[in-house]
Amino acid sequence: MGRWIDAGDAGFRETFTAFLNEPRGEVEDVATTVHDVIADVRANGGEAVARYTSKFDRLTLDPVTLQSDNVDLHALAAGCPDDLKEAIDFAAERIDAYHEKQRPVDHVFKDAVGVELGWKWSSLDSVGVYVPGGLASYPSSVLMNTIPAKIAGVDRVVMTAPAPGGQLSPAVAYAALKAGVDEFYPIGGAQAIAALAYGAGHLVRVDKIVGPGNAYVAEAKRQVFGTVGIDTIAGPSEILVIADESANPDWIAADLLSQSEHDTSSQSILITVNKGVGKAVEKAVEKQLKTLSTEARARHAWDHHGAIILATSLDQAADIANEIAAEHLELAVEDPDLLLPQIRHAGAVFLGHHTPEALGDYVTGSNHVLPTSRAARFSSGLGLQDFMKRMSIQRASSEGFAALAPAALRLAEAEGLPAHARSVSIRTNAGGGHD
């Protein structure tokens, strides 16, 4: 049974803060283990990657090619059922269309003193996409991480996914080919992140690594950041639902459990202004849990990390939601458009009773790679611009230089940087020059 937190109680702030600070999904000694794996891969390259893959995934790899005769994407993809292929195709088209709309534009302008300023966007050269593997089937993760990269113009998209005993989901294989993955290596864990960051065997290092993984993968991404870019350090899944009397309790319960079933560390929270709604949802959650094949982990997540928060008003509900800054936020209220302007911090927002978070996981087209663990306070979900970078551009004419030089010279002198100052002053003494 999920806990209840009453925002009208005198001790609400203390109780709520303690709830937000409770640890979820933390694993001891991960950092040291990951550090040693990364050091091994850096020192021994493909030999280390092949050794870890044999140990953890029972798969023999060629230490040079990092390939196995037992894993072939095209052969695996052929085993994907036709109706599932159609669903993947449908999702891919929508993800493509959504992210195409995010394409930024170059811009140049001339300011009041005649200095030309602007910016230019360019794509990254290479990206590594990590995909959880084995018999777990997450073709949606392949699409969400790969399609925006290809739209951005990334020349080389490298996918890694563990294939224990040579087993890899046919749906993942089909999604990889559909999305346009250029290279695939059947490797996983911290060793895959190290190989993507530093290179190993025929796998040439990439510029950025994206994609979800377990605690070891997340820690490896943290440790290689700076050598390569990363998307985010993903934590356990989260959903927050704000519901009023217009909400269907059975629907809300299903939405809450859609995240609880991910992992025992997942978090599902309901905020409601009506205690009766909360009680009805609580009852529906218990009823639906008994029908799930994922009951064990969903029940653990709900019992240990779930909550029903009773707010005094929808305005207060919005304030609480902004503090939680959840990965997914559903506004299951009569007029979600009225409440939306008050929402500032969430990974993705789902408006109205017919927009369950699960649609966003698969087919709305919006990206499902989103900030977790309250990171929505300062970061956004994955998008086209994560696979691009912006370069600033400036050009000063002789007149523009004359307008800027005195202030630049004074600032350089104030900062004690004489070479900076000379690079300005030398141009004022030349008696002319080139634009």
Side-chain angles (χ1 to χ4, degrees):
M1 180 179 294
R3 79 189 77 184
W4 280 76
I5 301 175
D6 192 336
D9 287 348
F12 166 70
R13 179 52 52 188
E14 180 179 337
T15 301
F16 180 59
T17 300
F19 171 65
L20 289 183
N21 292 334
E22 287 177 357
R24 290 188 294 131
E26 296 184 356
V27 181
E28 295 182 1
D29 300 327
V30 168
T32 299
T33 300
V34 167
H35 176 273
D36 292 344
V37 170
I38 291 174
D40 192 4
V41 172
R42 292 189 70 179
N44 299 298
E47 184 276 324
V49 173
R51 178 168 18 91
Y52 287 118
T53 302
S54 176
K55 177 181 179 180
F56 295 116
D57 294 332
R58 308 174 308 283
L59 182 68
T60 300
L61 295 183
D62 183 307
V64 177
T65 65
L66 299 185
Q67 298 294 335
S68 169
D69 293 337
N70 296 324
V71 183
D72 178 80
L73 277 188
H74 290 275
L76 287 164
C80 184
D82 288 342
D83 61 338
L84 184 50
K85 288 180 180 179
E86 291 176 3
I88 291 171
D89 291 347
F90 179 78
E93 290 172 5
R94 294 190 60 82
I95 294 166
D96 188 297
Y98 180 90
H99 289 84
E100 181 62 46
K101 298 290 186 182
Q102 295 181 342
R103 187 177 299 280
V105 295
D106 299 344
H107 185 64
V108 177
F109 65 96
K110 188 170 287 189
D111 69 11
V113 297
V115 174
E116 185 178 306
L117 298 165
W119 51 84
K120 178 181 182 298
W121 290 88
S122 59
S123 62
L124 304 183
D125 290 336
S126 57
V127 168
V129 175
Y130 185 93
V131 178
L135 293 177
S137 182
Y138 299 108
S140 60
S141 289
V142 180
L143 301 179
M144 294 289 182
N145 285 279
T146 303
I147 289 175
K150 301 304 288 188
I151 294 174
V154 176
D155 288 331
R156 177 173 167 255
V157 175
V158 181
M159 186 180 103
T160 66
Q167 298 294 311
L168 184 71
S169 162
V172 166
Y174 180 79
L177 297 176
K178 177 68 179 180
V181 166
D182 299 295
E183 301 173 27
F184 169 67
Y185 300 89
I187 56 178
Q191 59 271 23
I193 301 300
L196 289 169
Y198 298 103
H202 283 177
L203 199 172
V204 178
R205 58 161 290 178
V206 299
D207 295 318
K208 188 170 187 175
I209 301 172
V210 300
N214 62 19
Y216 293 89
V217 170
E219 178 59 28
K221 288 168 70 176
R222 188 195 310 274
Q223 292 191 24
V224 302
F225 175 65
T227 298
V228 294
I230 62 172
D231 51 351
T232 187
I233 305 295
S237 298
E238 305 161 351
I239 186 171
L240 170 61
V241 180
I242 298 178
D244 63 12
E245 295 86 346
S246 67
N248 183 315
D250 290 327
W251 294 8
I252 301 305
D255 296 349
L256 293 171
L257 292 176
S258 74
Q259 294 308 294
S260 295
E261 73 174 352
H262 267 300
D263 186 83
T264 56
S265 301
S266 299
Q267 186 165 69
S268 301
I269 301 172
L270 169 66
I271 304 178
T272 183
V273 295
N274 185 295
K275 190 171 185 178
V277 170
K279 289 291 187 182
V281 170
E282 183 179 42
K283 182 178 179 181
V285 165
E286 182 60 33
K287 180 180 178 181
Q288 292 182 29
L289 272 170
K290 297 175 181 178
T291 70
L292 294 176
S293 61
T294 52
E295 178 186 0
R297 61 175 177 264
R299 183 178 294 280
H300 186 281
W302 175 246
D303 288 347
H304 290 81
H305 306 299
I308 298 173
I309 300 175
L310 186 60
T312 58
S313 67
L314 285 179
D315 288 343
Q316 185 187 45
D319 290 340
I320 294 171
N322 285 327
E323 287 194 66
I324 295 172
E327 179 186 16
H328 310 102
L329 171 60
E330 289 186 9
L331 301 185
V333 296
E334 186 173 2
D335 190 351
D337 293 312
L338 188 63
L339 191 58
L340 180 60
Q342 299 181 58
I343 302 300
R344 300 178 58 244
H345 304 307
V349 183
F350 302 82
L351 305 178
H353 301 306
H354 293 279
T355 318
E357 181 277 330
L359 285 184
D361 274 347
Y362 301 118
V363 293
T364 62
S366 175
N367 208 291
H368 76 198
V369 180
L370 301 167
T372 61
S373 306
R374 305 185 71 199
R377 292 171 297 142
F378 53 80
S379 61
S380 307
L382 195 70
L384 191 70
Q385 293 182 18
D386 289 288
F387 300 99
M388 306 183 77
K389 54 190 179 64
R390 186 185 67 252
M391 299 181 293
S392 59
I393 299 169
Q394 47 256 301
R395 172 163 47 200
S397 63
S398 56
E399 294 81 4
F401 171 80
L404 301 183
L409 183 60
R410 183 67 188 93
L411 287 167
E413 292 170 344
E415 293 185 354
L417 298 173
H420 279 66
R422 181 174 291 119
S423 77
V424 176
S425 65
I426 198 170
R427 287 168 167 77
T428 65
N429 298 328
H434 300 284
D435 287 351

